[in-house]
Structure formats: structure tokens, C-alpha cells
Amino acid sequence: MSPAASPSGEAELSDPWVALEPGSDPLERVRVLRRAHETFTEAGTVTRPVRSVVADSWRRSARAGVGPDGTARVELMDGDLGSYRAEHPLARVMPLFRELMGTFASDGEHLLAVCDAQGRLLWVEGHAGTRQKADGMNFVPGAHWAESAVGTNAPGTAIALDRPVQVFAAEHFIRRVQPWTCAAAPVHDPRTGRLLGAVDITGGNGLAHPHSLGFVQAVARAAESQLLLLAPAPTTTDALGLTALGRDEALLMAGGRKLRLSRRHSEIVVLLSRHPEGLTGDELLCALYEDESVTPVTLRAELARLRRLLGAGLLGSRPYRLTVPVECDVGVVERGLSAGAVTAAARAYAGPLLPGSQAPEVVRLRRRLADGLRAALVARRDPDLLADWAHAPWGEDDLDVWRTLAAIRPTAPVRARLKELEAEQSAPLGWAGR
């Protein structure tokens, strides 16, 4: 795809997260970016063709007091670094990072780097000559590369934004880093959504390609999948594991057993997981049944069957409650949204909560969760996350999401689908619709 011409004559990027599109002249873009960087550092004004993600990062860097001639500070050394790395969650996926990226880094004269959630580099590996050059800017294990410490850079900015980002040449805030290009993606705890750090590929201008951004994003997702596999399964003495998103019949992990719950039992377990303090029979009746004629006897029969299914000691009464903690995929999404980790929340969202349920409380929770995530995606304006939502069964008719996606990624298929949706949703209802 060729860059479009802007009114100023400069090239605009169709994907704001990609630093340099195929067909662009990297040397010319370096020249204009250097002029823009000098203008910003001297006058505080951002000029074309600086991407909005970079312009916002430059402003944050300046507010943090970062100077364009600064350098990274090494905070962890020797034994402290070794012990910290050994205990860090990302140590468990370093073999995976090396398997997926090691040869690519060595053969391409690049570096593989992994940082923690504070932007401290934990591992820097790859081509020996490139590592030696990177030593000159303190791109070394133990150095602090947060955006607030050294300004715009891929691992630091990926941590700050909690999304994959590519930084090219003079887009870096510190001058001594401007000969480099890097792409990084955040990595999250797949169970809690907590940000663990970021994985980065750093090298020359050859990395200024959409493929490098997609590559690190795929590696980050693979690492999160691996962490999920490595995590111990919940037990009755630890927690119940509940999967209820995108399923009419929830899955419950209990004591090493995987139980497929009926629709009604799924609703009950979801509601009890939301209320660890317990619910009375009357509260459960109101939450589960639209029909007020349903009797407490019916509910007690369902609870008796559920108690037999779960086994002794897991379902208490007076009030009804689960006697051990529950780790539910709904909670993972909610925690991600609460922490601003929109990417992690979106990845954990496998679909609407118990989509076939008509239980009043489940319907409210389902709508609140979907609306909250949808609003966060529209506000974040990440084209990849928006595209994932728009092409999912629950988002294919979401007009607001398609409009937002078309504004930032106006490809022909996206524009065509938006036009189709606008026509469908503005058309008057026929007699059958009325």
C-alpha cells in the first residue's frame, strides 16, 4: 500500500502504528524526522510528518524532564540483576523468546530484548557486533528504558501505552538512539491481565517494516499462551477456574476435574462467583428467573443437583455461596479494563457472557462487560483490536466500531462494510419489522 499525499506534500501513513510503509524512502523520512525533532526540542512544536503516537510520546517525554542528549541509567547489576531475572515471570518464557526470535536476531544483526513492567531491560541478546554498538547507548541488561527515563523508544513506549509500537530512527527522543529502529509488544499475565513487561526487536532501518511490528506482537501472544499453559491448574484447595465467556454452558475446573455445567448451573455458578459473601434464596430467584411464578422449591432442586455435581464442601448454604475462591474469565476482562490494560482485556474476551442466558442478572452483567470493553476499544483507537472486534460474530454489526475502524484504517473492505451497515441501519422498517 502506498502512502497517501497530505496537503503539505508529505506522506501520511495509513496505519498510524507502522513507522515506515513499503515503498517509502527511509533516508528521506529520516531527514524530515530529524528536522521535526529539532523543531520540537527547540520550540516545542510538532510538525509533519510525525505520527500522532510519536508526537504524544515526545510531549510526555518532555513533561517528564527527559533531555534529547540524555542516556539510560543502569539500575540493576551483577547479583541483583541475576536474582531479579530468575524470579521474574518472563524468565519462564525466555526459552520461547529465544526459539522464536534468536535466529532472526542473530542472522539479521538485530537484538532481542525483554524488559519488565517498569521498562528495565532484563535480557539483551543477539548479534555480537550489534550488542557492542548498543552498549554505547546503555541498551544493556539492567538499564532503565522507560519512556519517562529516556523518552520515546519501542519497549518504553509499548509499556506506557500497553500496546505494540514501532519506533523508527529520529522518532526516538534521545539523539544517540536515533540511528536505531525497534518494535516492541507488551506481555501480560494471561490469568490476571497484569502487565509483566515487553518483548522487543532492535536493529537498523531494515526493521522499519509492518512485518517487524506484527512479528513481535505474535511473539508476545505466544508467550502469553505459554504462560497460561505453564500456570498450575486450580484445585479445590486453591481456586475454582470458571470459563463462561462465549459459551452457553460454562466450564468449571475443580480439583483437577473439568466439569461442563448445564445452562442453569452455569448461571448459578457465575452469579455466586460474583458474590463470595453469598446470596439468599430470594436473591438468587430474582437474579435467575424473569418468571415470578417460579417457586423456591425449583431453585432448591437445582442447587441440590449442583451440589452433587461439584462434590462435598464446595457449595454452602444459608446463604448460598461457593466455599473456595473462583478465578473467572469475566474477572480477567474486568481487571484489565480497570487497570487500563485494554489489549489484555480484549484478548481475554472470548465472547459475550453465557450468550443464550435470559437470567436478568446475567443479562445485565453481559451487557455491562461488553459495553465497557467496546467503549474502551473505541477510545483506544487501536486498528488491530478494533478489527478483531468488528470481525467477531458479536461485532460484525457494530456501527460505531466500524466507523472508528474506517477512520483510522480506511481500506476498501472496511469502507464497503461500513457503507453496507449504514444503509442497513438507516433503512426504514418494513411491515414485518414494525
Side-chain angles (χ1 to χ4, degrees), residues 211-263:
H211 290 167
S212 69
L213 187 62
F215 177 49
V216 292
Q217 188 170 6
V219 170
R221 287 178 173 173
E224 291 172 346
S225 298
Q226 182 78 354
L227 286 169
L228 186 60
L229 291 173
L230 293 172
T235 66
T236 52
T237 58
D238 182 12
L240 298 175
L242 181 62
T243 303
L245 293 176
R247 308 178 56 90
D248 284 324
E249 296 181 335
L251 288 179
L252 185 70
M253 289 295 295
R257 298 177 297 150
K258 181 181 289 186
L259 305 175
R260 186 170 185 166
L261 304 178
S262 69
R263 290 195 177 195

